[in-house]
Amino acid sequence: MEAREPTVIVILAAGKASRLGGTNKLLVEAAGLPVHEWHRRAAGKQPTYAVVRPDDEKAVLSAAPWLAGVIPHAEADGPSGALLSASTALPEGALTVLFADTLLPQVPTQEGDWVGVATAPWRIWDYYDASTEGGWTRGVPEVLVCCGIYRFTNRELLNDICYDLKLGSTNEVHMADVLRSYAPHQPLTELIVTGWQDAGDPDALKRVQPIKET
């Protein structure tokens, strides 16, 4: 039986969190639980690390001692920069990357390279739908979007891409830029993720629903 490739999880939580008043996203509460506790339950026994701002390092370590480690990242260069800090510091193996404000009942363990996608949590709109009689309709349009979880197996390629993007930009480099550069060399599949909830701003946090214990 072929052995599973080792995987570590890294949570990217080094942003400014300006929509949350500057509080690190791992430390805010969602449906009565700190966000870091959501990630602990979702990760299970998989080794999990977090990338945070240096000013948040002590608070995150104190609140979430279950983390295997915390990686400080001081630059405001977007997910790509935080990912580079993580990937160059962590043990070898496949890397599952999770945004701090992505809440899941369980972190997927599917192998290979993939991008987690889910239906966008949109509100009700009037919009055009060619499949309906008359076209115009009212409801919640279903659009698949990246839901803030990714898996990369080629760490050398990932590091080179993030480094090149860092050198070539003076602004934040988003994950879409990483995916565009990675996919031509290492194809990424779309992985449908169920149970995703967003915790990126105060309104989203108010809508988070507890996960029913099974």
Side-chain angles (χ1 to χ4, degrees), residues 85-210:
S85 288
S87 185
T88 53
L90 293 177
E92 294 183 0
L95 195 63
T96 297
V97 180
L98 185 67
F99 286 175
D101 53 13
T102 291
L103 306 184
L104 298 172
Q106 182 177 7
V107 174
T109 58
Q110 181 167 317
E111 297 194 359
D113 295 82
W114 46 258
V115 178
V117 297
T119 303
W122 284 20
R123 63 178 177 84
I124 294 175
W125 295 90
D126 293 331
Y127 67 101
Y128 188 81
D129 182 354
S131 67
T132 63
E133 184 178 355
W136 292 102
T137 188
R138 182 171 179 80
V140 180
E142 292 191 1
V143 178
L144 289 178
V145 297
C146 296
C147 60
I149 184 166
Y150 315 82
R151 190 171 189 271
F152 303 98
T153 63
N154 191 332
R155 293 279 290 282
E156 182 178 2
L157 173 63
L158 180 65
N159 294 347
D160 287 346
I161 287 170
C162 290
Y163 183 73
D164 289 345
L165 289 171
K166 182 182 180 71
L167 288 180
S169 176
T170 57
N171 301 312
E172 290 190 7
V173 180
H174 297 285
M175 192 62 77
D177 300 300
V178 177
L179 302 179
R180 277 196 297 268
S181 299
Y182 188 90
H185 307 283
Q186 192 90 16
L188 290 157
T189 61
E190 290 187 353
L191 177 67
I192 301 294
V193 174
T194 59
W196 167 50
Q197 298 188 79
D198 175 48
D201 59 53
D203 287 339
L205 285 168
K206 292 175 184 176
R207 294 193 295 268
V208 173
Q209 297 296 311

Side-chain angles (χ1 to χ4, degrees), residues 61-78:
L61 277 172
S62 177
W66 62 272
L67 288 167
V70 171
I71 302 161
H73 182 77
E75 299 180 65
D77 49 5

Side-chain angles (χ1 to χ4, degrees), residues 6 16-17 25-26 28 46 52 60 69 93 99 121 133 174 187 208 211:
K16 298 177 182 177
K25 291 180 179 179
L26 291 174
V28 299
Q46 296 181 81
V52 304
V60 170
F99 286 175
E133 184 178 355
H174 297 285
V208 173
I211 295 173

